[in-house]
Amino acid sequence: MTGMFSRFDYIDAALTTGARFLELVDGVEDTETRLPHTPGWTLVDCLGHVALAPTRFLALARGEGEWCRDALDVPDFNAKQIANLPTRDVRVLADRLRDDLDTLVDAVSHFNARVPQMRFDGDRLIRADAALGILIGEFVVHGHDIARAVGAQWWVEPDVVLMIIRGRQQILPSWVDSAGAAGHDATYDIRLRGCSERYIYEFTDGDLVINPPEPRRPDVHISVDATAALLAGSGRISPAWAALTGRAFAWGSKPWLAPRLASRFLPA
């Protein structure tokens, strides 16, 4: 896999995964099916949440819109959003997602050389083009949720997963669980399989810095399949399952830290 992505790679991936998400939704007969990984959400709730995302991302890229200054507030924000959906008609929501995604990617394609920065949940300031990686993650992870609920097949290309992970790295330090990471001091060397992507997570008294300029010696090295890393980080699979199935392997002076890494973060 290439280590470089242009905004047009992100645009192509957003359009492709968005279309695949809509195709999956269109194939479900019972739209009130409940999803196991989003307690209380039905398929319509999930579609509504995803359908509103492109408009929200575009507003944030323009310096408008709303974001949660504390990641702890995101579940309440999502609940209010779903409670106030403009419609629960699946076809109307699907059409809105399709149209608004086209509008968003057109705007991103016309960014000039100086890409705008945008605020995002956790009060992070991130690149507005690479933020598409977070949006693609909405399509992929919630597509996984729906597919699991209805027994459908779901897949995603490894390079698309890499785009999602890169997008999420921008906001991840704000998603550290202050209770779960309190007093935590450790350095993780995370290597994604099948590519040259590698991250250093350095926790100091519970605060996370990703890829610090002068990192400490790693306490644990983790080799992990990129899709497994995404799903474990999203709470969709357990780190233990990833290890037992050979999708992740840890070594170093403190390998027992690896299975507990996901617990240092708030649920996605």
Side-chain angles (χ1 to χ4, degrees):
M1 284 186 291
T2 177
M4 299 294 292
F5 295 109
S6 73
R7 76 179 64 170
F8 297 102
D9 292 321
Y10 281 99
I11 287 171
D12 289 344
L15 291 171
T16 299
T17 55
R20 193 176 294 165
F21 176 84
L22 287 170
E23 182 180 0
L24 173 65
V25 170
D26 188 56
V28 179
E29 294 183 4
D30 182 6
T31 57
E32 292 298 327
T33 297
R34 295 202 172 272
L35 309 184
H37 290 296
T38 52
W41 282 21
T42 65
L43 182 145
V44 177
D45 296 329
C46 183
L47 173 59
H49 167 74
V50 174
L52 298 182
T55 297
R56 180 176 180 237
F57 274 62
L58 182 56
L60 293 173
R62 290 172 171 167
E64 305 163 357
E66 296 181 74
W67 70 91
C68 297
R69 285 168 174 77
D70 192 321
L72 283 168
D73 297 328
V74 171
D76 284 344
F77 179 91
N78 290 339
K80 291 175 183 176
Q81 180 190 61
I82 290 171
N84 293 288
L85 286 176
T87 178
R88 294 185 66 82
D89 185 309
V90 171
R91 293 194 179 279
V92 174
L93 289 170
D95 287 343
R96 172 167 181 167
L97 172 55
R98 191 177 293 107
D99 293 343
D100 289 355
L101 179 58
D102 286 342
T103 301
L104 172 63
V105 298
D106 180 68
V108 173
S109 72
H110 287 92
F111 286 162
N112 56 32
R114 186 173 182 177
V115 177
Q117 301 274 303
M118 63 184 246
R119 289 288 175 187
F120 199 71
D121 298 332
D123 207 25
R124 306 296 294 188
L125 191 63
I126 64 177
R127 285 178 58 103
D129 55 354
L132 282 181
I134 301 172
L135 178 62
I136 296 165
E138 293 282 302
F139 299 147
V140 169
V141 173
H142 288 310
H144 176 271
D145 293 341
I146 294 171
R148 286 287 304 275
V150 301
Q153 290 189 329
W154 184 247
W155 78 102
V156 61
E157 293 79 3
D159 56 342
V160 173
V161 174
L162 188 54
M163 292 182 200
I164 298 169
I165 290 174
R166 285 190 179 182
R168 289 189 168 193
Q169 299 305 314
Q170 300 178 96
I171 64 172
L172 202 57
S174 291
W175 288 78
V176 173
D177 183 349
S178 58
H184 186 50
D185 292 289
T187 301
Y188 300 75
D189 169 28
I190 302 171
R191 309 176 187 190
L192 301 183
R193 295 177 183 171
C195 65
S196 60
E197 204 80 355
R198 183 175 179 178
Y199 296 99
I200 298 294
Y201 286 10
E202 190 169 275
F203 285 87
T204 303
D205 195 20
D207 290 328
L208 171 64
V209 175
I210 297 177
N211 294 337
E214 296 183 8
R216 299 189 299 256
R217 185 182 186 89
D219 296 289
V220 57
H221 304 271
I222 303 171
S223 170
V224 58
D225 172 80
T227 301
L230 173 64
L231 295 178
S234 302
R236 269 56 183 185
I237 63 172
S238 73
W241 182 87
L244 288 172
T245 56
R247 289 167 173 80
F249 178 75
W251 72 99
S253 61
K254 299 179 180 178
W256 60 84
L257 290 174
R260 299 170 59 189
L261 177 58
S263 69
R264 308 294 181 186
F265 298 94
L266 297 169

